Amino acid sequence: MLTSRKELDDRLRGAARAWLDEALAEAAHAAGHPDSDTGSPPWELRFASAGRQCGLEHADSVRALLLLEARAGLPAVTRLYEQGTAAERRAVLLTLDRLELGATALPLVEDALRTNDTRLVSAAVGPYAAAHLDAHGWRHAVLKCLFTEVPVEAVADLGRRARGDVELARMLGDFAAERTAAGREVPADLRTVLDLTAPAPSPAPTSREES
């Protein structure tokens, strides 16, 4: 879970706190002067060293704050994802829904879902995917979670998107049949998702309708 700037200020001390202040100031400067440098701005270098400077447990949150403070656009987000480590890619994915990117960053989500890295898969199925993946892509994202044993609790807005989805139910049934035929265990989470695909119950009739 990402923590806020205030929470980080409370947890970081000494050099780490000073480093964060400087890094965010650089990001804010880049946001205010988007055309001042044709190369990668200094805050992007800070993005890579966040774990070393502020601790691995805070790295996701620090990187998210840098992206937000810099008001990172698609070129910067794509560059940081493509050039980054798995940890850096995860931070990008976790922040997508907070940036004003519309659906333009979907290729990054789709790339993460092609991997078997559970850190990336779990980050890729967050609120951004729930808002922008089409039905076909979202169904396969759910199956990817089951295949890689990422808990389906990671899938944002699962209940709403799965409700009444007959095609998802069919795909889950096929997946379960394939696992059973191969002598492999069917993930317990599959039943959870399958139950969610049931149509929403019809509203109870009013007293006037009953009469």
Side-chain angles (χ1 to χ4, degrees):
M1 179 180 295
L2 298 178
T3 54
S4 67
R5 171 69 189 278
K6 182 180 185 305
E7 290 171 317
L8 284 173
D9 283 346
D10 291 339
R11 296 174 187 179
L12 297 178
R13 294 291 182 271
R17 173 84 173 268
W19 182 93
L20 179 60
D21 289 343
E22 292 172 2
L24 291 177
E26 289 176 356
H29 177 82
H33 303 81
D35 301 320
S36 61
D37 191 346
T38 57
S40 299
W43 73 267
E44 292 189 19
L45 300 177
R46 302 270 193 172
F47 188 89
S49 59
R52 295 192 301 274
Q53 299 294 336
C54 297
L56 294 178
E57 69 275 24
H58 301 307
D60 282 344
S61 298
V62 170
R63 289 175 176 138
L65 286 174
L66 286 171
L67 289 168
L68 293 169
E69 195 69 32
R71 298 200 292 274
L74 184 63
V77 168
T78 301
R79 182 166 56 245
L80 290 170
Y81 180 89
E82 291 180 345
Q83 298 177 0
T85 63
E88 292 161 33
R89 292 183 174 198
R90 170 183 163 82
V92 169
L93 294 167
L94 290 173
T95 316
L96 290 179
D97 67 300
R98 304 185 182 194
L99 300 169
E100 297 180 3
L101 298 172
T104 61
L106 272 178
L108 306 185
V109 171
E110 292 163 350
D111 178 82
L113 291 172
R114 285 192 290 269
T115 75
N116 289 323
D117 188 325
T118 56
R119 294 169 299 175
L120 298 184
V121 173
S122 62
V125 293
Y128 186 83
H132 297 293
L133 272 180
D134 63 18
H136 176 79
W138 185 82
R139 291 175 187 130
H140 281 278
V142 173
L143 286 175
K144 186 72 175 192
C145 288
L146 295 172
F147 179 78
T148 57
E149 299 183 352
V150 168
V152 295
E153 288 82 359
V155 182
D157 218 3
L158 176 62
R160 180 187 66 82
R161 291 208 60 168
R163 181 68 62 199
D165 192 332
V166 176
E167 178 61 14
L168 178 59
R170 184 196 64 76
M171 293 169 68
L172 292 170
D174 290 348
F175 179 75
E178 290 171 5
R179 299 278 288 208
T180 300
R184 302 181 64 189
E185 184 177 357
V186 176
D189 274 354
L190 187 144
R191 171 55 61 183
T192 299
V193 181
L194 189 59
D195 289 344
L196 290 172
T197 63
S202 300
T206 63
S207 56
R208 179 175 297 177
E209 291 172 338
E210 292 173 341
S211 62

